[in-house]
Amino acid sequence: TIDGVTYPGTIKEKEVAKKQYEKAVSKGQTAGLVKASGRKTEKFTVSVNIAAASKVTFELTYEEQLKRRFGKYEMFIKVKPKQLVKDFEIEVNIFEPQGITELEAEGTFITNDLQNIIEKTFSEKKGHLSFKPSLDQQRTCANCSQSALDGDFTVRYDVKRTTPDNLQIVNGYFVHFFAPTDLPKLPKNVIFVIDISGSMAGREIQQTREALLKILDDIKEDDFFNFILFGSEVNTWKETLIKATPENLDEARKFVRGIDTEGMTNLYGGIMRGINMLNAAHEQNLVPKRSASIIIMLTDGQPNVGISNTQDIQAHVKKAIEGKYPLYNLGFGYGVDYNFLEKMALENKGLARRIYPDSDAALQLQGFYDEVSNPMLTDVELNYPENEISDLTKNRFKHFYDGSEIVVAGRFIDHNQNSLTVDVRGEGANDALSYTTQQDAEQTAKAFQEQEYIFGDYIERLWAYLTIEQLLEKRLRTSQLEKFVNTIFSVVPPVSDNCSIPPSQNSGPVQRGCFPGLALLTPGYLYLYKKKLLYSRKRQQLTLQIAAPHLSYLYTTHPTWYTSVDGDPHFIISVPQKEDAICFNINENPGAVLNLINDPVTGITVNGELIGGKKANSNAKIQNTYFGKLGIANKHLDLKLTVTPEKITIQNGNEKTGFTWLDSVTLQQEGLTLIINRKKNLVLSMGSGVSFVVVLHKVWKKHPLHQDFLGLYTLQSDKLSEQTHGLLGQFFHPIDFTILEIHPGSDPEKPDATMIVKNNELTVTRGWQKDFRRDPKHGVDIPCWFVHNNGAGLIDGVHTDYIVSSLF
């Protein structure tokens, strides 16, 4: 709301919305941008520019499906005002027709004093919770101006359950919630497939061991389990699944404490060993017939030994599992190919989860296991009359876990139908589960009449959300998804010009209700649609007008960034916590050798020698230079690797081994693993687990100016010590920056801004650099803030400080 007039927001692609916002800011107009990011999709960030003498109120309205975990529904609220707020309040109102059994709230920042401020009440169907700290209560200390409100605030509750399920019917749609309680737990057969490649060294493997030890404490005596470890080779704890007797658990703890890292990433070998072992256990009746089998795989990298093509791995895994049990993939950190892990899990009735490389990573690992550690039913089917229901969401589930909930939605062929009968079947620990449930629309309407304004057509919205989400999971052809989206939006009339023109360019107030009905689909739902599909197609824009007061902004997936140097030469500095990057160029003469990485603790150094063009470009003020030679050394191991566009030389002491880019090589020796992918790139792991990718750029031999050159990309840079420095190395430590005052630059397509970084105020330009790690020919565009003048103010010292005399 700007000066008393309410304007609707629009949903646009990330970069389109960002450019529109920056354009408005550069003209001094009032504009706002909302984006979602972080571990939870419920975390929104608002960027706002306020014109002089304006009063602006932002109101974000969204819907989400609350998931039931560990027997409770959970609402997560991120609290980070970064300042003291005069009227700060979190207020939660809950209405559940079934009745509320418990209500609780906790916060990571909540002290004993703040705990007393939380007020909560519930009775029958209604619950209320309020958290309203005063200014003084928000302070970190009596005279401090910093806010203590910084962290997560979580509300949990559950409902009364007199029956195993709850069926609701509204306006031609139904939703079926299935969450039986008090069932005996099924024995489970679980295989842990763990990545122990060199990149897992340090905190990652330590946290993995810690989580596995806690998991062993929770395994029941009726369960069967085993561990499979994969680095360059694949090793197993036992040759088959072992019953969780006290003696076997003690032996397993000793094994887990001894897990250490080695080699590269033979992901295919590890996962296939686990599948074959589980299949053999069932075929040979080594595990109970009434039991639930699962595979949990943890990796922090990408396959580079054995079969490394991800599509081939997916095909082999799917064929081997054949839908018999779910596969759960856990991706540790930002170096994994998460899309690959997610797709492979979804194809095999499981799911993928990213494990964030924070201090609580062990708790994240254990928390995921806890969600799947208590299977109650297998082969669950919720069957609905085929002649009455169309467009049914997923209704068959391999497992039902204690404390969770299955949700199925659909729409009636006859929109006026007001009753439904459902047959429910599943296999339990002792016998089969089978029963029939019925519901009619009058019962639902009676239950909702007290709070009708909350619900409206929410079942239709929930059905739409589940349908889109599941279509995406199945990776159906784009046309099928678009057909569905067009169908559910077919009732929406064309958008008037007034709806899409930003307030600052509009001659009058925006008309309310110009896009009726579209607000029924929340930002989170459309986020799924854009995130999963549009990145792989020609860029198409789906602009959705949301009737006020909804304001939403679509965040597409960001690329996987690596701190790197490539091109002439372009340095790209990844800042994952910002989901952004900083870039700069170094302009020096051919022949100069630059120190890129220097770690006195691990003994690893990387230097690069610049080359110029075949001849100087008389039209250019600054002559292009590239890296024509890279020297990578580990003085502790007395290893040196020299890479040029023609050859690769390894020197170990006085011994030298040479290869060309026409070779396909996998070489392993103490402290070194080298993989040469013919004519493309090489992957090098040394000592501590840090990995480098060197990309070969081949130029047309008859090109009048350019010649072949190299690019360097660092993986698992956190394996180097805190003393690491160099033009690249200094950025392996966390770096933060703030962007202010976005305004037009010399290039109308690239706005300038002020960056606050390392206590310096710099003028930067928004642009793009190329990441050639996966596609050496075309590269992938990486958005970044460009720092001018050889990175002055960003790098420590000046760029000439990094010139060294030789490669080694």
Side-chain angles (χ1 to χ4, degrees):
T1 302
I2 303 175
D3 294 331
V5 180
T6 299
Y7 300 94
T10 58
I11 299 178
K12 293 187 176 182
E13 289 190 69
K14 175 182 176 181
E15 289 305 317
V16 174
K18 200 163 192 177
K19 287 179 180 178
Q20 182 174 331
Y21 169 70
E22 291 169 351
K23 182 178 180 181
V25 169
S26 68
K27 296 180 179 180
Q29 298 168 338
T30 299
L33 188 66
V34 180
K35 62 183 181 181
S37 61
R39 288 194 190 182
K40 304 280 186 175
T41 57
E42 297 86 348
K43 176 183 174 183
F44 294 93
T45 303
V46 178
S47 300
V48 58
N49 181 68
I50 302 175
S54 295
K55 181 179 180 180
V56 178
T57 301
F58 274 90
E59 185 173 346
L60 174 68
T61 303
Y62 70 99
E63 290 185 54
E64 64 177 308
Q65 179 194 357
L66 296 184
K67 300 295 178 67
R68 189 169 185 261
R69 299 171 65 247
F70 307 118
K72 297 174 185 176
Y73 296 100
E74 181 178 281
M75 176 184 292
F76 175 91
I77 302 169
K78 192 75 173 179
V79 179
K80 200 178 185 71
K82 295 185 178 181
Q83 60 184 324
L84 301 177
V85 180
K86 182 180 178 182
D87 296 311
F88 181 93
E89 182 175 12
I90 296 175
E91 184 176 19
V92 179
N93 290 296
I94 302 170
F95 174 77
E96 287 287 352
Q98 293 171 259
I100 300 171
T101 57
E102 53 186 317
L103 173 62
E104 62 184 44
E106 65 178 20
T108 56
F109 57 89
I110 297 293
T111 62
N112 290 335
D113 291 338
L114 291 176
Q115 185 69 43
N116 297 328
I117 303 171
I118 300 176
E119 298 179 359
K120 56 182 179 179
T121 59
F122 70 92
S123 61
E124 295 299 325
K125 302 177 183 179
K126 296 181 180 181
H128 178 267
L129 185 143
S130 175
F131 175 64
K132 189 176 182 180
S134 66
L135 279 174
D136 288 339
Q137 289 168 328
Q138 295 175 43
R139 300 179 193 275
T140 53
C141 65
N143 299 316
C144 295
S145 59
Q146 290 81 24
S147 174
L149 309 185
D150 185 0
D152 305 334
F153 189 85
T154 307
V155 179
R156 298 184 182 91
Y157 73 94
D158 201 19
V159 300
K160 293 179 181 177
R161 300 181 187 278
T162 56
T163 61
D165 53 8
N166 178 253
L167 189 60
Q168 301 171 10
I169 302 171
V170 175
N171 295 338
Y173 293 83
F174 78 88
V175 62
H176 188 185
F177 300 98
F178 177 77
T181 57
D182 300 324
L183 294 174
K185 292 180 176 60
L186 278 163
K188 63 180 178 293
N189 316 304
V190 57
I191 292 182
F192 300 93
V193 182
I194 307 298
D195 182 351
I196 60 164
S197 61
S199 59
M200 284 284 289
R203 186 167 73 164
E204 279 89 341
I205 199 67
Q206 178 183 344
Q207 292 173 323
T208 301
R209 287 193 295 260
E210 179 184 338
L212 290 176
L213 288 171
K214 291 180 179 178
I215 287 171
L216 286 172
D217 291 338
D218 294 333
I219 289 182
K220 313 295 189 299
E221 192 165 355
D222 290 337
D223 295 340
F224 287 74
F225 71 105
N226 203 347
F227 295 101
I228 294 175
L229 312 179
F230 66 90
S232 298
E233 305 294 331
V234 178
N235 298 296
T236 62
W237 172 48
K238 299 291 185 181
E239 292 305 310
T240 187
L241 279 90
I242 297 295
K243 191 172 184 181
T245 64
E247 296 77 17
N248 287 336
L249 287 172
D250 285 341
E251 186 180 346
R253 291 184 184 97
K254 294 178 183 177
F255 175 79
V256 167
R257 292 187 184 100
I259 293 176
D260 206 351
T261 57
E262 62 86 19
M264 303 294 281
T265 309
N266 187 3
L267 185 149
Y268 171 78
I271 190 65
M272 290 303 296
R273 181 77 63 87
I275 294 169
N276 293 335
M277 182 181 292
L278 199 49
N279 286 343
H282 282 281
E283 291 167 3
Q284 299 169 23
N285 295 318
L286 301 178
V287 294
K289 184 176 181 180
R290 286 192 174 276
S291 60
S293 296
I294 59 177
I295 294 180
I296 299 176
M297 182 180 71
L298 169 69
T299 181
D300 77 329
Q302 301 180 32
N304 52 28
V305 175
I307 297 179
S308 57
N309 182 286
T310 54
Q311 292 184 345
D312 290 344
I313 295 175
Q314 287 170 209
H316 284 292
V317 167
K318 186 176 181 181
K319 182 178 180 180
I321 291 180
E322 293 183 319
K324 295 189 289 291
Y325 40 80
L327 167 66
Y328 297 105
N329 291 330
L330 306 181
F332 207 135
Y334 300 102
V336 296
D337 185 342
Y338 189 75
N339 287 337
F340 156 62
L341 295 181
E342 182 179 41
K343 185 170 184 178
M344 185 165 65
L346 291 172
E347 285 180 341
N348 294 283
K349 301 184 178 181
L351 56 85
R353 182 78 57 83
R354 189 186 293 278
I355 303 300
Y356 292 84
D358 293 332
S359 59
D360 68 341
L363 293 176
Q364 296 177 55
L365 289 168
Q366 186 186 1
F368 173 80
Y369 172 78
D370 289 343
E371 290 184 49
V372 299
S373 63
N374 291 311
M376 312 287 280
L377 296 169
T378 62
D379 300 318
V380 179
E381 295 184 11
L382 292 83
N383 297 311
Y384 307 85
E386 294 183 2
N387 61 341
E388 297 178 6
I389 303 299
S390 68
D391 300 313
L392 184 69
T393 64
K394 180 180 177 181
N395 68 322
R396 294 185 178 185
F397 303 84
K398 191 62 187 176
H399 292 165
F400 170 75
Y401 297 103
D402 188 25
S404 67
E405 182 176 62
I406 288 173
V407 182
V408 181
R411 59 179 172 182
F412 293 105
I413 296 174
D414 180 0
H415 192 75
N416 296 316
Q417 182 170 334
N418 57 16
S419 63
L420 182 63
T421 300
V422 186
D423 290 324
V424 179
R425 300 179 186 276
E427 296 296 329
N430 301 322
D431 49 28
L433 173 75
S434 179
Y435 71 92
T436 300
T437 186
Q438 292 180 312
Q439 178 68 301
D440 61 53
E442 289 185 6
Q443 290 174 287
T444 303
K446 184 179 180 181
F448 289 170
Q449 63 185 0
E450 297 178 49
Q451 300 282 329
E452 184 178 357
Y453 73 94
I454 291 179
F455 296 97
D457 295 324
Y458 93 99
I459 291 180
E460 180 180 358
R461 301 197 295 276
L462 180 57
W463 163 80
Y465 165 58
L466 292 174
T467 302
I468 292 178
E469 182 180 49
Q470 291 169 14
L471 282 173
L472 290 163
E473 290 179 354
K474 294 176 183 177
R475 298 299 194 268
L476 293 181
R477 289 181 292 114
T478 303
S479 58
Q480 289 179 269
L481 179 59
E482 287 184 330
K483 180 179 179 181
F484 170 75
V485 173
N486 291 336
T487 298
I488 62 174
F489 290 157
S490 61
V491 298
V492 180
V495 185
S496 68
D497 289 340
N498 276 343
C499 264
S500 57
I501 297 175
S504 56
Q505 302 174 21
N506 191 358
S507 58
V510 175
Q511 313 229 342
R512 299 177 70 93
C514 55
F515 215 152
L518 197 49
L520 299 180
L521 211 61
T522 73
Y525 306 160
L526 269 296
Y527 166 77
L528 290 168
Y529 171 51
K530 302 285 281 190
K531 173 184 176 185
K532 300 294 185 184
L533 286 184
L534 293 192
Y535 75 91
S536 63
R537 303 168 46 216
K538 293 181 179 178
R539 297 189 72 83
Q540 297 183 16
Q541 179 178 327
L542 179 62
T543 301
L544 307 176
Q545 307 300 326
I546 301 298
H550 298 262
L551 177 65
S552 357
Y553 166 55
L554 219 67
Y555 215 119
T556 55
T557 52
H558 57 79
T560 301
W561 284 296
Y562 296 93
T563 299
S564 62
V565 57
D566 211 330
D568 58 343
H570 300 303
F571 289 77
I572 303 177
I573 309 305
S574 167
V575 189
Q577 70 272 23
K578 291 280 190 180
E579 296 186 355
D580 211 339
I582 305 173
C583 49
F584 62 93
N585 292 352
I586 295 295
N587 301 308
E588 259 303 328
N589 297 321
V593 179
L594 301 176
N595 174 237
L596 304 177
I597 301 169
N598 180 29
D599 182 4
V601 176
T602 63
I604 293 176
T605 61
V606 181
N607 295 325
E609 182 177 328
L610 296 174
I611 58 172
K614 294 177 181 177
K615 63 180 181 179
N617 184 353
S618 57
N619 296 322
K621 294 181 180 179
I622 300 175
Q623 299 300 317
N624 289 338
T625 54
Y626 308 85
F627 281 112
K629 187 182 290 186
L630 292 171
I632 306 174
N634 187 324
K635 69 178 182 180
H636 296 336
L637 300 175
D638 199 15
L639 284 171
K640 296 178 181 178
L641 180 78
T642 305
V643 185
T644 72
E646 293 77 36
K647 62 183 180 179
I648 301 102
T649 304
I650 302 172
Q651 182 174 344
N652 190 350
N654 294 322
E655 297 182 6
K656 283 189 177 182
T657 305
F659 304 98
T660 74
W661 285 100
L662 297 177
D663 297 321
S664 293
V665 175
T666 299
L667 173 67
Q668 289 183 282
Q669 60 186 61
E670 184 179 359
L672 172 74
T673 303
L674 174 68
I675 298 175
I676 301 175
N677 296 305
R678 187 173 185 267
K679 294 184 178 182
K680 292 182 179 180
N681 58 45
L682 67 83
V683 183
L684 173 70
S685 289
M686 297 183 75
S688 65
V690 65
S691 299
F692 304 101
V693 177
V694 178
V695 174
L696 172 66
H697 293 278
K698 298 291 288 184
V699 178
W700 179 43
K701 291 183 178 180
K702 296 183 180 180
H703 196 287
L705 296 176
H706 303 314
Q707 55 182 324
D708 298 346
F709 63 97
L710 305 170
L712 174 72
Y713 297 78
T714 59
L715 313 181
Q716 309 298 334
S717 58
D718 58 324
K719 302 301 180 183
L720 295 174
S721 77
E722 295 181 357
Q723 299 180 40
T724 304
H725 209 262
L727 276 171
L728 277 181
Q730 62 187 287
F731 299 107
F732 295 164
H733 318 303
I735 183 174
D736 197 11
F737 65 87
T738 302
I739 294 295
L740 305 170
E741 302 172 2
I742 300 173
H743 56 275
S746 57
D747 184 338
E749 297 296 320
K750 298 179 179 179
D752 285 350
T754 298
M755 173 184 286
I756 308 299
V757 61
K758 292 185 176 180
N759 295 320
N760 296 319
E761 189 173 303
L762 310 177
T763 297
V764 295
T765 301
R766 190 64 174 173
W768 301 83
Q769 297 288 15
K770 291 284 188 181
D771 179 340
F772 294 97
R773 189 178 57 88
R774 290 179 180 272
D775 184 354
K777 185 175 182 180
H778 303 102
V780 175
D781 285 330
I782 300 293
C784 65
W785 290 104
F786 183 81
V787 178
H788 302 272
N789 303 323
N790 292 301
L794 173 67
I795 64 174
D796 295 337
V798 295
H799 81 278
T800 53
D801 296 339
Y802 300 88
I803 297 176
V804 294
S805 59
S806 63
L807 278 182
F808 300 109

